[in-house]
């Protein structure tokens, strides 16, 4: 054999051995595809990614899943629906991931849910709060972890009703989540307080609020109370302009998500004291499951967890749990295993409901206070998500048949 022939044979043998090694490595690892809008919503998603990382460490430290290493392959969808669908397909076809998890904005979550339905791929939606993902546009392959827009709105309504305020102003980011929150609040309030009036609505584009103009428009309507679903930078601008112009004086204000550290911490001593909110009082939760999570998170990252940390951790744990329950990566068996799946989370055990694929994860409800120049939640309690869901009969009317 001449030297050239020997080199070709050697190269071919090396390539074959590399292929075998790669195949063996792939067989030793179970990969799940994850996509999210990391650059767009960094305040929430940086802690979210840390929560996922902690969960993966814990899963692999206890033997992985089905005797194999558990891995999450992440991509940044840039908050764009088209890019999210492209990446979902890349994760499933090129990366050969078992199924999909993640997403943050509601419109992106819905786009990936549509992809999951079309391609018959399991999708565990982590953060998108839209009600449509489990109800109006629900499908066989899509499940959702976080308490939905409807659920968190319903958690605030009892306190709103106690105040018996008649004239309400509403302000919301003008996309799926904000629209759904507004619709749910109006519906739930009208059912219990028929004389309620909604005297003004302001719907600025997400991330582009002209807070001064919004505050002036609300003030001109002279409401008794305000319901808001603003978050992030829009919320901060609204709070500052509202305080400067005296909008909130003498008015009850309710705001979804404003008690989450991601959005409350940046306000520091400007936190709007007295607001009714949903959030995450990490500093006061003493349940064993939360303490275990908190201690592990603090030890690993030298930082306290945010709500995103809880969501990332619980999403990864859900992905591992369904694989273990199914005992296989067969897609239809994974989907069947998701129905009724129970998962231990830092907020307690949650169940993915069979009737609509919504998990029973709840949220903390309370009011904003100030301590040491920083916003905190006060008078808070945990609202069990299972208690703030529509009846099975109502779900059946809203959700398409599989």
């Amino acid at each position: 054999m001449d030297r050239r022939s020997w080199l070709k044979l050697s190269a071919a043998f090396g390539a074959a051995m590399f292929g075998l090694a790669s195949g063996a490595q792939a067989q030793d690892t179970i990969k799940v595809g994850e996509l999210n809008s990391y650059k767009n919503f960094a305040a929430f998603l940086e802690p979210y990614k840390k929560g996922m990382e902690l969960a993966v460490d814990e899963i692999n430290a206890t033997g992985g899943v089905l005797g194999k290493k558990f891995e999450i392959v992440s991509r940044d969808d840039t908050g764009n629906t088209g890019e999210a669908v492209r990446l979902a397909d890349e994760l499933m076809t090129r990366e050969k991931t078992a199924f999909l998890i993640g997403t943050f904005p509601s419109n992106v979550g819905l786009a990936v849910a549509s992809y999951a339905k079309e391609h018959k791929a399991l999708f565990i939606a982590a953060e998108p709060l839209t009600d449509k993902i489990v109800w109006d546009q629900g499908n066989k392959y899509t499940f959702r972890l976080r308490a939905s827009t409807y659920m968190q709105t319903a958690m605030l309504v009892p306190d709103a009703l106690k105040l018996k305020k008649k004239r309400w102003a509403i302000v919301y980011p003008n996309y799926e989540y904000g629209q759904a929150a507004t619709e749910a609040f109006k519906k739930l309030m009208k059912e219990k307080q028929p004389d309620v009036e909604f005297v003004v609505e302001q719907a600025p584009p997400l991330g582009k609020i002209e807070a001064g103009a919004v505050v002036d428009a609300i003030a001109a309507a002279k409401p008794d109370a305000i319901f808001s679903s603003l978050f992030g930078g829009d919320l901060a601008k609204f709070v500052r302009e509202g305080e400067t112009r005296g909008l909130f004086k003498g008015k009850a204000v309710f705001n979804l998500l404003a008690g989450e550290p991601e959005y409350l911490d940046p306000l520091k001593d400007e936190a709007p004291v007295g607001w009714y909110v949903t959030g995450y009082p990490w500093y006061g939760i003493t349940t064993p499951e939360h303490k275990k999570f908190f201690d592990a998170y603090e030890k690993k990252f030298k930082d306290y967890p945010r709500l995103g940390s809880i969501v990332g951790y619980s999403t990864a744990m859900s992905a591992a749990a369904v694989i273990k329950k199914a005992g296989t990566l067969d897609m239809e068996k994974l989907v069947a295993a998701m129905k009724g799946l129970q998962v231990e989370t830092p907020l307690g055990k949650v169940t993915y409901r069979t009737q609509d694929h919504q998990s029973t994860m709840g949220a903390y409800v309370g009011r904003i206070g100030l301590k040491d120049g920083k916003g905190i939640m006060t008078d808070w309690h945990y609202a069990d998500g299972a208690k703030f869901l529509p009846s099975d009969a109502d779900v059946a009317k809203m959700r398409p048949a599989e």
Side-chain angles (χ1 to χ4, degrees), residues 169-250:
I170 297 181
V171 56
Y172 60 94
N174 194 14
Y175 79 114
E176 168 59 29
Y177 151 73
Q179 295 161 5
T182 297
E183 181 182 349
F185 184 74
K186 292 165 74 172
K187 176 180 181 293
L188 291 168
M189 289 295 290
K190 276 286 187 183
E191 287 175 355
K192 300 292 185 180
Q193 187 182 326
D195 69 341
V196 69
E197 297 177 15
F198 301 103
V199 295
V200 63
E201 289 186 22
Q202 289 290 295
L206 177 63
K208 299 179 181 178
I209 189 172
E210 295 183 11
V214 169
V215 167
D216 287 345
I218 293 174
K222 298 181 178 179
D224 303 320
I226 300 168
F227 175 77
S228 163
S229 51
L230 298 174
F231 66 95
D234 289 340
L235 173 64
K237 292 174 184 177
F238 179 65
V239 168
R240 286 162 186 152
E241 285 294 336
E243 292 286 3
T244 298
R245 302 175 189 225
L247 174 65
F248 309 130
K249 189 174 182 180

Side-chain angles (χ1 to χ4, degrees), residues 120-370:
K120 299 182 179 180
L122 172 62
F123 170 44
I124 304 175
E127 173 63 21
L129 301 183
T130 174
D131 301 315
K132 291 180 179 178
I133 208 165
V134 291
W135 296 335
D136 302 44
Q137 296 178 28
N139 67 68
K140 175 181 178 180
Y141 296 92
T142 299
F143 295 75
R144 196 251 306 282
L145 171 69
R146 271 207 73 181
S148 71
T149 302
Y150 174 92
M151 294 164 71
Q152 293 198 56
T153 301
M155 292 170 189
L156 287 176
V157 164
D159 284 326
L161 290 170
K162 287 176 187 176
L163 300 180
K164 298 181 180 180
K165 301 293 184 181
K166 186 175 181 180
R167 294 169 56 82
W168 284 82
I170 297 181
V171 56
Y172 60 94
N174 194 14
Y175 79 114
E176 168 59 29
Y177 151 73
Q179 295 161 5
T182 297
E183 181 182 349
F185 184 74
K186 292 165 74 172
K187 176 180 181 293
L188 291 168
M189 289 295 290
K190 276 286 187 183
E191 287 175 355
K192 300 292 185 180
Q193 187 182 326
D195 69 341
V196 69
E197 297 177 15
F198 301 103
V199 295
V200 63
E201 289 186 22
Q202 289 290 295
L206 177 63
K208 299 179 181 178
I209 189 172
E210 295 183 11
V214 169
V215 167
D216 287 345
I218 293 174
K222 298 181 178 179
D224 303 320
I226 300 168
F227 175 77
S228 163
S229 51
L230 298 174
F231 66 95
D234 289 340
L235 173 64
K237 292 174 184 177
F238 179 65
V239 168
R240 286 162 186 152
E241 285 294 336
E243 292 286 3
T244 298
R245 302 175 189 225
L247 174 65
F248 309 130
K249 189 174 182 180
K251 296 182 182 68
V253 183
F254 290 71
N255 199 110
L256 290 179
L257 316 183
E260 296 178 9
E262 289 88 335
Y263 312 127
L264 187 57
D265 288 358
L267 289 169
K268 298 180 181 178
D269 59 0
E270 295 179 292
V273 174
W275 282 24
Y276 296 81
V277 295
T278 60
Y280 172 46
W282 57 268
Y283 31 80
I285 305 170
T286 58
T287 60
E289 56 268 27
H290 185 267
K291 187 177 188 309
K292 179 184 175 184
F293 165 78
F294 179 89
D295 290 347
Y297 190 94
E298 187 179 49
K299 180 179 180 181
K300 182 174 178 63
F301 299 110
K302 307 297 186 288
D303 195 7
Y304 58 89
R306 276 66 166 181
L307 188 61
S309 314
I310 296 281
V311 175
Y313 181 91
S314 302
T315 302
M317 286 298 186
S318 297
V322 72
I323 296 170
K324 292 175 182 178
K325 181 182 176 184
T328 175
L329 296 183
D330 177 84
M331 193 65 76
E332 294 302 322
K333 290 181 180 178
L334 284 167
V335 171
M338 277 299 303
K339 295 182 178 183
L341 179 71
Q342 294 189 329
V343 183
E344 297 289 349
T345 80
L347 302 188
K349 184 182 290 184
V350 303
T351 301
Y352 286 88
R353 304 193 332 158
T354 298
Q355 56 268 54
D356 58 7
H357 301 184
Q358 171 64 48
S359 106
T360 56
M361 179 174 277
Y364 286 90
V365 179
R367 303 184 73 176
I368 292 180
L370 270 180

